[in-house]
């Protein structure tokens, strides 16, 4: 019997799947905060957001496609009056829910309701281990609010929730403090990468970690393989041993995003026309977008390594994050702007496009007030 | 052929009756299947179509060995017994 070479799982994933493994669904653009790095430039609800009936139909489709869980975000999902109705519908359909919240609407009553629901995971976002660091990014009072929500979950006996942190230049020195907060609540720490997407396009240059901090983060993660990262730091794998996870860009291959008005994008970090694959309201619904869209078909073609071809670390980092390149004005087939070997430094400095003309999100629901990074 | 010979040193009781955990759902994919455990909320990849068929066949046979004999070429017994063994710690399959 001849033995055929078995393609690696990574190779098979890059060709696409019957349904996404990691589906993010931003339920609303409404948000009471205006974080300076918001990926979805949220603030105001869009009048065209999916109705309760439409949202339930999307959940039915997820169940039929055997999408085992959905990552719900926003905006602030708890601002949707039908939030619990949708969660109950999803759970009853066999679609587990993991949702992200700033905690401001996570009252003791709601914490108890969540604790009583199977297959619901909660992630509470903080971006600093103290109020000063956190509130500079997420707004005045948001740290205390988030800690209050954690206390509500703990008091309700929710069990192990998650604390989600976007790593920045200002909070990488606080890694151990974040772990201490998580330990205090019996929670799991989830660290993700800052992307220059949404309002993050305006703040990334001053908030993204330094090269030295990236090495510090890599060592910290290597030593704590149980830390959740959503596979977000695979660009760091070029520093040595690979981090836990698939270590590939899953955009349009294993990952995608449904936004509040039903538009489907390749990943949560590229809310931009160039990566829009269709809308769940189109004929054939979400599954047809996932299986047949031209945008996703192109992403499932073998990708060129471009300027990274000659780099010995390409297998480890795969050239990094598509969204990070796109929104910093770098070519998609070259190094990540945070390439740990410094291969993007020159290109980044040479980007001639003025900041204001670089691609930014084509969808902006920011509150109509100036958003600025507070002085620290 | 005796069971220990089939097992070939794999730490897995081939003579026992096994089955798919009721809390696990399988989603077929070209490469095999995704197995999702609703209890542990862990996703496991079954990396061949034959392994998926084998996992589904466990419930219909009195022993894992019988399921193997019904589906797998003898030269592949060891490999597939080993693959089944890897699904025990993640509770994808369990002894009935």
């Amino acid at each position: 019997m001849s033995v055929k070479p078995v393609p690696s799982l990574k190779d098979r994933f890059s060709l696409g799947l019957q349904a996404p493994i990691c589906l993010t669904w931003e339920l609303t653009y409404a948000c009471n905060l205006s974080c300076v790095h918001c990926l979805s430039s949220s603030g105001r609800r869009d009048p065209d957001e999916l109705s309760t009936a439409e949202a339930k139909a999307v959940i039915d489709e997820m169940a039929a496609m055997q999408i085992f869980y959905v990552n719900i975000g926003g905006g602030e999902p708890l601002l949707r009056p039908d939030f619990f109705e949708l969660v109950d519908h999803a759970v009853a359909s066999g679609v587990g829910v993991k949702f992200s919240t700033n905690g401001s609407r996570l009252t003791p009553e709601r914490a108890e309701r969540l604790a009583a629901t199977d297959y619901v995971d909660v992630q509470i976002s903080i971006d600093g281990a103290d109020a000063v660091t956190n509130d500079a990014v997420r707004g005045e009072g948001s740290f205390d609010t988030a800690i209050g929500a954690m206390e509500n979950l703990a008091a309700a006996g929710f069990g192990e929730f998650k604390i989600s942190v976007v790593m920045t230049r200002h909070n990488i020195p606080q890694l151990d403090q974040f772990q201490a907060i998580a330990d205090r609540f019996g929670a799991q720490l989830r660290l993700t990468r800052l992307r220059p997407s949404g309002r993050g396009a305006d703040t990334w240059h001053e908030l993204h970690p330094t090269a030295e901090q990236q090495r510090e983060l890599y060592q910290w993660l290597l030593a704590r393989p149980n830390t959740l990262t959503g596979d977000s730091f695979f660009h760091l794998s070029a520093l040595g041993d690979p981090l836990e996870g698939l270590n590939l860009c899953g955009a349009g291959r294993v990952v995608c995003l449904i936004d509040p008005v039903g538009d489907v994008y390749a990943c949560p970090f590229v809310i931009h026309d160039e990566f829009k694959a269709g809308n769940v309201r189109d004929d054939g619904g979400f599954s047809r977008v996932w299986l047949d869209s031209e945008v996703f078909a192109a992403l499932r073609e073998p990708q060129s390594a471009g300027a990274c071809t000659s780099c010995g670390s390409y297998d480890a980092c795969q050239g990094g994050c598509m969204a990070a390149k796109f929104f910093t004005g770098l070519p998609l087939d070259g190094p990540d702007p945070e390439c740990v070997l410094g291969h993007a430094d020159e290109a980044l400095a040479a980007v001639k496009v003025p900041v204001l003309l670089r691609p930014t999100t084509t969808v902006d629901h920011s509150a109509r007030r100036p958003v600025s990074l507070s002085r620290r | 052929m005796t069971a220990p010979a089939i097992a070939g040193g794999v730490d897995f009781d081939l003579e026992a009756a096994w089955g798919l955990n009721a809390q696990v759902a399988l989603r077929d994919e070209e490469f095999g299947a995704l197995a999702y455990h609703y209890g542990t909320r862990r996703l496991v990849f079954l990396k061949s179509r034959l392994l998926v068929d084998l996992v589904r066949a466990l419930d219909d046979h009195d022993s894992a060995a019988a399921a193997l004999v019904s589906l797998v070429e003898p030269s592949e017994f060891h490999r597939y017994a080993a693959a089944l063994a890897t699904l025990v710690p993640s509770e994808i399959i369990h002894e009935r």
Side-chain angles (χ1 to χ4, degrees):
Chain A
M1 196 161 67
S2 69
V3 178
K4 276 182 271 176
V6 180
S8 72
L9 211 50
K10 207 176 201 168
D11 289 344
R12 293 171 192 218
F13 281 173
S14 61
L15 302 176
L17 299 162
Q18 294 303 305
I21 293 177
C22 182
L23 171 62
T24 300
W25 186 10
E26 315 284 34
L27 269 192
T28 178
Y29 279 118
C31 193
N32 53 317
L33 299 187
S34 34
C35 305
V36 299
H37 57 4
C38 182
L39 298 166
S40 55
S41 302
S42 285
R44 290 170 293 121
R45 179 184 173 276
D46 192 302
D48 202 29
E49 290 182 4
L50 299 179
S51 68
T52 303
E54 286 174 317
K56 284 185 174 175
V58 171
I59 292 168
D60 293 341
E61 221 187 333
M62 290 176 192
M65 292 170 80
Q66 284 194 288
I67 292 171
F68 303 120
Y69 58 87
V70 58
N71 304 291
I72 286 182
E76 171 50 51
L78 283 169
L79 290 180
R80 262 192 84 121
D82 57 1
F83 175 77
F84 280 98
E85 189 179 345
L86 297 178
V87 167
D88 290 345
H89 187 73
V91 170
S93 312
V95 180
V97 170
K98 304 183 182 191
F99 82 94
S100 290
T101 174
N102 60 37
S104 60
R105 298 294 187 274
L106 226 172
T107 59
E109 297 72 35
R110 285 174 169 169
E112 281 181 20
R113 178 153 189 189
L114 290 167
T117 312
D118 271 344
Y119 308 132
V120 175
D121 283 336
V122 184
Q123 289 178 12
I124 298 184
S125 302
I126 51 174
D127 291 326
D130 53 52
V132 174
T133 312
N134 177 82
D135 294 2
V137 170
R138 304 184 60 83
E140 193 75 34
S142 57
F143 183 77
D144 290 344
T145 302
I147 297 291
M150 294 178 202
E151 285 165 352
N152 292 344
L153 283 178
F158 180 83
E160 192 178 57
F161 59 89
K162 297 175 178 73
I163 297 176
S164 198
V165 183
V166 174
M167 298 318 301
T168 69
R169 193 168 298 185
H170 306 302
N171 67 22
I172 284 190
Q174 303 181 319
L175 280 165
D176 291 333
Q177 289 162 258
F178 285 118
Q179 187 63 59
I181 296 174
D183 292 346
R184 186 173 120 211
F185 287 105
Q188 241 183 324
L189 193 57
R190 181 173 186 271
L191 306 178
T192 58
R193 184 176 174 193
L194 175 77
R195 304 298 205 296
S197 316
R199 284 197 294 270
D202 304 326
T203 49
W204 182 84
H205 291 271
E206 41 187 317
L207 281 183
H208 77 90
T210 64
E212 195 187 327
Q213 286 178 327
Q214 295 212 86
R215 286 190 289 274
E216 184 187 339
L217 174 62
Y218 170 74
Q219 293 300 338
W220 199 92
L221 290 170
L222 261 194
R224 292 164 189 80
N226 291 327
T227 308
L228 304 171
T229 63
D231 223 3
S232 123
F233 297 108
F234 63 93
H235 69 299
L236 299 181
S237 290
L239 285 167
D241 292 332
L243 295 170
E244 287 288 302
L246 291 170
N247 286 302
L248 84 161
C249 163
R253 307 168 189 109
V254 294
V255 173
C256 80
L257 170 81
I258 302 176
D259 92 338
V261 299
D263 285 334
V264 180
Y265 295 93
C267 89
F269 318 116
V270 286
I271 301 183
H272 188 283
D273 284 346
E274 190 142 339
F275 301 98
K276 180 157 54 175
N279 189 290
V280 299
R281 286 166 168 147
D282 297 343
D283 282 345
F286 171 64
S287 92
R288 178 140 177 226
V289 177
W290 175 260
L291 293 170
D292 290 346
S293 87
E294 284 174 25
V295 170
F296 289 173
L299 287 169
R300 292 166 194 167
E301 291 288 315
Q303 305 290 306
S304 152
C308 297
T309 309
S310 58
C311 178
S313 293
Y314 181 74
D315 281 347
C317 78
Q318 305 277 310
C321 171
M322 181 178 79
K325 295 184 242 197
F326 183 74
F327 288 116
T328 49
L330 295 179
L332 299 188
D333 62 347
D336 186 289
E338 292 183 287
C339 168
V340 293
L341 302 177
H343 291 157
D345 296 355
E346 226 171 279
L348 203 54
V351 171
K352 292 285 193 293
V353 191
V355 173
L356 286 174
L357 295 180
R358 271 179 219 155
T360 59
T361 176
T362 36
V363 184
D364 191 343
H365 293 80
S366 299
R368 290 192 185 90
R369 57 177 181 258
V371 171
S372 63
L373 189 60
S374 350
R375 291 260 166 245
R376 298 183 71 248
Chain B
M1 188 175 297
T2 63
I6 294 176
V10 174
D11 185 17
F12 179 75
D13 186 356
L14 283 166
E15 286 306 301
W18 291 80
L20 183 64
N21 190 321
Q23 282 188 285
V24 171
L26 296 178
R27 179 171 107 202
D28 290 309
E29 291 287 351
E30 268 173 53
F31 67 81
L34 303 181
Y36 184 69
H37 191 304
Y38 280 96
T40 62
R41 298 179 199 178
R42 293 200 70 132
L43 199 57
V44 171
F45 303 107
L46 307 188
K47 298 178 197 175
S48 89
R49 296 288 325 152
L50 184 53
L51 178 59
V52 180
D53 293 342
L54 179 62
V55 165
R56 287 204 170 105
L58 289 173
D59 277 299
D60 302 331
H61 290 87
D62 294 335
S63 69
L68 271 167
V69 168
S70 74
L71 286 171
V72 179
E73 301 260 347
S75 62
E76 295 276 324
F77 279 170
H78 178 72
R79 211 174 115 215
Y80 280 87
L84 286 178
T86 65
L87 300 176
V88 180
S90 51
E91 301 170 46
I92 300 299
I93 60 173
H94 59 180
E95 259 190 87
R96 282 186 275 140

